Amino acid sequence: MADSDEQGTPQLERTTEPASAPRKNGATPTRRTATRASTAANATGAKRSAASAASASPPKAPAKTAAKTSTRATPKSGALDAAPDMQTSTAAPPTPAAAPRRTRATTTRATTTRANTSASVAELSVSDDVSAAVAPEMGIAREAAATLAPPTANIAELRRPRSMGGISPENTVFVSLSFEGPDIYSAAGGLGTRVTEFTESLAGLGYETHLIFVGDPTKPAVETAINGKLYLKRWSQWISQYYLNGVYDGEEQKLYDYNESVPYHVYEQIVAPAVAQGKMVVVIGEDWQTAETICRLSDLLHWHSQRHRCILMWNCNSLMSLHRINWGRLNFCASITTVSRYMKQRLWQYNVNPLVIPNGIPSRYLEQVDSQQIAELRAIMQHGDPDRLFLFKIGRFDPDKRWLMAIEAAARLKYSGHPISMVIRGGIEPHGGEVLNRARYLGLNVRDIEARRPSLEECMTLMREAGEADIYNLRFFVPAEFVRACYAAADATLANSGHEPFGLVGLEVMAAGGIAFTGSTGEDYAVSFENAVALETDDAEEIVGYLLHMMRHPEERAKITSAGTRTASEFTWEEVIDNLIGKVGYLARKQNIVLA
């Protein structure tokens, strides 16, 4: 029978020594010996056949038997010792009248019987090579081996694939903690997109996943999705009903409630049941709002002796409010991660060295945008002028996004004889007023377009009916289908951030087959003029120069779009989760967590 040790290495059961071969006190024999016993009955008898050797049973021996050791087993009346840890090739078994006594022989090599042994004996014998390689591992007494399958069967048994353990949907539960989430109420930036797509992808791969976020107060507190694997848990709804302007309206009150109540929910409703089933729980907190929650959860798990079955991670997506974090405590309680090498280096100033786990995009983004939609949108934006440039920019109205640089570039293009149509979609941040005022000051014609959750077709109609302008300011929630159509149809999407932790927009543009103008900070995936155009300054002339260069060299555009699509395929959430699972496996090993 085979058991397994803690590392999963198969071991074979050792047989007990028969009473006929008592071991001397203190003796630790290391080699199997053959003995020659003289008896009157068998002194001149014929050699035994192999069949007799296989069927004979070792006899019981008297208390003391004189035996003489030799370095070579012979077909004479020798008997084999039954110790499991010795190796040999054997001769015929002893006669009932004579049983050997174990000795400390110094045999240097086990050999087969002499040439006059019958063919059947040779079949039962263990060859020199197999004996040396297999017998020490198998640890089976020769008497038992003679009645079992040949040694090759045991070799096959040892080579049989065995489960090495590891992270799988059967033994791991994921918990994501975030202020932002999938609700419109909860979506304020890239974080909401990240946690929504990340948790959906985990659940799609079969992992039980819990997303705890500050959700819409008018929706159910708990909702399931993705075949019952994803649990959406809307937190602090009793507070959000007094703050209806979004997730960060009443932020301090929501933060207090989140820190006070989420750790107990995670322990009582998620960790305790999972650990009782032998599972591991991976908790990932997002951004500064969840840092204190992670620390309190660690304390609570320690108190209930469950910390050793959980991996706590805290992920940094931005540099916002990092001065509010107790870094020493957080670094002790959790493993810190971030989304790019740029962010990793930015966090060194806090005396932490995070792991890098990048963001990703849904696999569905790799589907080609309808060519008719692309052609229709370009025709609308060019207003009959095939040389008119179509630009697109989307993101929060934040100075880090370099909106003013983009507006300056649009003005320079216009006044250098290159008309433009630029579609922009910002947020509700105060910097938006400064951006639009600057555009008007530079003589650009700005047209606001308002709607209430239009479809893709309605968006097309709105753009057609808006008339000719330089800047089209979309003041409504833009459907993803229209955004992807803009990515694919535009001559360039300006994702030209001066500080970008990762840069999801650049990847989304690549996936749609467009041209992304990125910054040079967290966009680890971007290689300038290979799969994107990476801007290295805040000079608007850099945008103008690169755009005109690609107009003169259309082959550059074809090369960039082709390489960009390949790059995007390497950053789907499925690929990113493979990266994450590898990092979680490393952290589990650090904590000595053994998974079945």
Side-chain angles (χ1 to χ4, degrees):
M1 299 268 312
D3 342 333
S4 296
D5 58 11
E6 293 180 358
Q7 286 73 33
T9 305
Q11 296 178 336
L12 295 175
E13 232 175 23
R14 295 184 180 272
T15 58
T16 58
E17 297 181 5
S20 59
R23 177 178 294 179
K24 290 185 179 181
N25 291 336
T28 56
T30 59
R31 305 178 184 272
R32 184 173 295 236
T33 63
T35 62
R36 182 183 296 155
S38 300
T39 62
N42 296 317
T44 59
K47 294 180 177 63
R48 295 180 182 274
S49 66
S52 301
S55 60
S57 301
K60 293 187 178 180
K64 292 184 180 179
T65 303
K68 188 181 294 182
T69 63
S70 68
T71 59
R72 195 172 186 84
T74 71
K76 295 183 180 180
S77 54
L80 289 175
D81 198 352
D85 52 353
M86 297 182 181
Q87 59 183 15
T88 186
S89 294
T90 64
T95 62
R101 183 177 60 189
R102 185 185 300 270
T103 61
R104 291 180 62 95
T106 57
T107 305
T108 58
R109 186 171 181 178
T111 61
T112 57
T113 56
R114 296 184 188 275
N116 57 358
T117 308
S118 65
S120 58
V121 172
E123 292 177 1
L124 289 172
S125 299
V126 182
S127 68
D128 287 345
D129 292 338
V130 176
S131 166
V134 179
E137 296 177 15
M138 298 178 60
I140 300 180
R142 178 59 187 161
E143 290 80 2
T147 60
L148 294 175
T152 52
N154 293 319
I155 294 174
E157 177 70 21
L158 290 174
R159 290 177 179 172
R160 180 180 299 168
R162 62 182 182 272
S163 173
M164 300 299 291
I167 296 166
S168 68
E170 289 72 31
N171 59 26
T172 305
V173 175
F174 282 90
V175 181
S176 179
L177 307 181
S178 172
F179 253 45
E180 296 188 32
D183 296 348
I184 295 177
Y185 178 90
S186 308
L191 177 58
T193 301
R194 167 188 160 83
V195 297
T196 300
E197 294 169 351
F198 169 57
T199 54
E200 287 179 354
S201 299
L202 276 173
L205 292 173
Y207 290 94
E208 179 185 332
T209 307
H210 302 256
L211 173 56
I212 303 176
F213 66 103
V214 178
D216 189 331
T218 65
K219 291 190 173 183
V222 179
E223 193 174 348
T224 58
I226 317 295
N227 298 321
K229 292 292 185 179
L230 177 60
Y231 296 84
L232 302 175
K233 300 181 177 180
R234 298 178 173 89
W235 220 255
S236 303
Q237 287 182 297
W238 67 279
I239 298 175
S240 298
Q241 64 181 333
Y242 299 105
Y243 297 94
L244 301 177
N245 292 326
V247 60
Y248 295 117
D249 188 16
E251 181 178 14
E252 293 299 327
Q253 291 88 335
K254 295 172 182 176
L255 179 64
Y256 178 85
D257 180 61
Y258 201 93
N259 288 334
E260 289 290 325
S261 55
V262 167
Y264 289 94
H265 172 80
V266 172
Y267 164 66
E268 294 172 357
Q269 303 299 321
I270 303 174
V271 172
V275 171
Q277 298 172 23
K279 297 182 179 181
M280 177 180 71
V281 180
V282 180
V283 183
I284 305 175
E286 303 282 354
D287 270 5
W288 75 271
Q289 292 93 348
T290 64
E292 177 65 18
T293 306
I294 287 288
C295 293
R296 294 190 187 188
L297 176 60
S298 177
D299 294 345
L300 187 63
L301 293 174
H302 270 298
W303 180 261
H304 291 281
S305 301
Q306 300 289 356
R307 180 64 180 85
H308 65 291
R309 293 298 300 174
C310 299
I311 291 178
L312 303 187
M313 305 167 71
W314 179 81
N315 187 59
C316 186
N317 294 280
S318 72
L319 300 178
M320 193 174 300
S321 295
L322 297 188
H323 64 282
R324 299 184 62 168
I325 295 176
N326 184 337
W327 287 100
R329 184 184 181 204
L330 179 61
N331 197 29
F332 177 81
C333 292
S335 298
I336 298 176
T337 66
T338 191
V339 292
S340 64
R341 291 191 294 271
Y342 163 73
M343 284 295 291
K344 178 185 180 80
Q345 295 170 10
R346 291 297 301 266
L347 291 181
W348 285 348
Q349 62 182 298
Y350 299 101
N351 296 317
V352 296
N353 189 27
L355 298 173
V356 175
I357 301 173
N359 277 324
I361 58 174
S363 297
R364 65 179 183 275
Y365 282 7
L366 297 177
E367 298 174 2
Q368 290 187 344
V369 180
D370 191 322
S371 58
Q372 291 184 352
Q373 294 177 359
I374 296 174
E376 180 183 357
L377 184 55
R378 281 191 65 83
I380 293 172
M381 303 313 300
Q382 288 178 336
H383 298 285
D385 182 359
D387 294 329
R388 192 180 186 101
L389 290 171
F390 174 21
L391 306 180
F392 183 57
K393 184 171 177 62
I394 186 170
R396 290 179 294 109
F397 278 129
D398 187 295
D400 284 340
K401 305 298 182 183
R402 285 183 173 166
W403 280 92
L404 294 178
M405 177 184 179
I407 295 298
E408 287 278 351
R412 293 188 188 189
L413 284 167
K414 177 180 179 179
Y415 293 114
S416 63
H418 301 282
I420 55 105
S421 292
M422 186 174 181
V423 177
I424 65 173
R425 169 62 174 135
I428 61 173
E429 297 78 13
H431 184 58
E434 183 181 355
V435 171
L436 296 175
N437 287 337
R438 180 64 176 171
R440 294 185 177 98
Y441 175 80
L442 293 173
L444 297 175
N445 180 14
V446 179
R447 185 153 300 173
D448 293 336
I449 301 178
E450 299 187 4
R452 187 171 184 85
R453 298 190 64 79
S455 64
L456 171 62
E457 293 74 18
E458 290 170 338
C459 287
M460 293 288 196
T461 302
L462 288 169
M463 300 307 298
R464 186 181 294 108
E465 294 175 350
E468 189 172 346
D470 298 318
I471 305 289
Y472 297 88
N473 179 31
L474 307 184
R475 301 185 61 181
F476 55 85
F477 182 82
V478 184
E481 296 83 2
F482 182 69
V483 172
R484 298 194 70 230
C486 289
Y487 288 157
D491 292 290
T493 296
L494 303 181
N496 56 311
S497 300
H499 158 72
E500 185 61 65
F502 180 79
L504 272 175
V505 170
L507 272 183
E508 292 172 357
V509 174
M510 291 180 179
I515 301 289
F517 277 46
T518 70
S520 297
T521 52
E523 299 91 341
D524 294 342
Y525 54 82
V527 181
S528 195
F529 286 98
E530 182 64 32
N531 57 11
V533 176
L535 304 171
E536 300 184 47
T537 71
D538 60 355
D539 184 359
E541 200 62 42
E542 190 177 10
I543 295 177
V544 174
Y546 294 159
L547 273 171
L548 297 181
H549 171 77
M550 286 198 298
M551 286 181 64
R552 300 186 191 102
H553 301 278
E555 69 278 3
E556 286 285 340
R557 178 181 180 89
K559 181 186 77 171
I560 290 173
T561 54
S562 176
T565 303
R566 289 195 302 271
T567 299
S569 68
E570 296 171 357
F571 282 86
T572 62
W573 275 114
E574 288 75 17
E575 296 292 332
V576 171
I577 289 172
D578 280 345
N579 184 331
L580 170 66
I581 295 302
K583 300 290 174 64
V584 171
Y586 153 65
L587 296 175
R589 182 175 177 82
K590 281 185 64 177
Q591 292 185 205
N592 293 322
I593 298 177
V594 179
L595 296 172

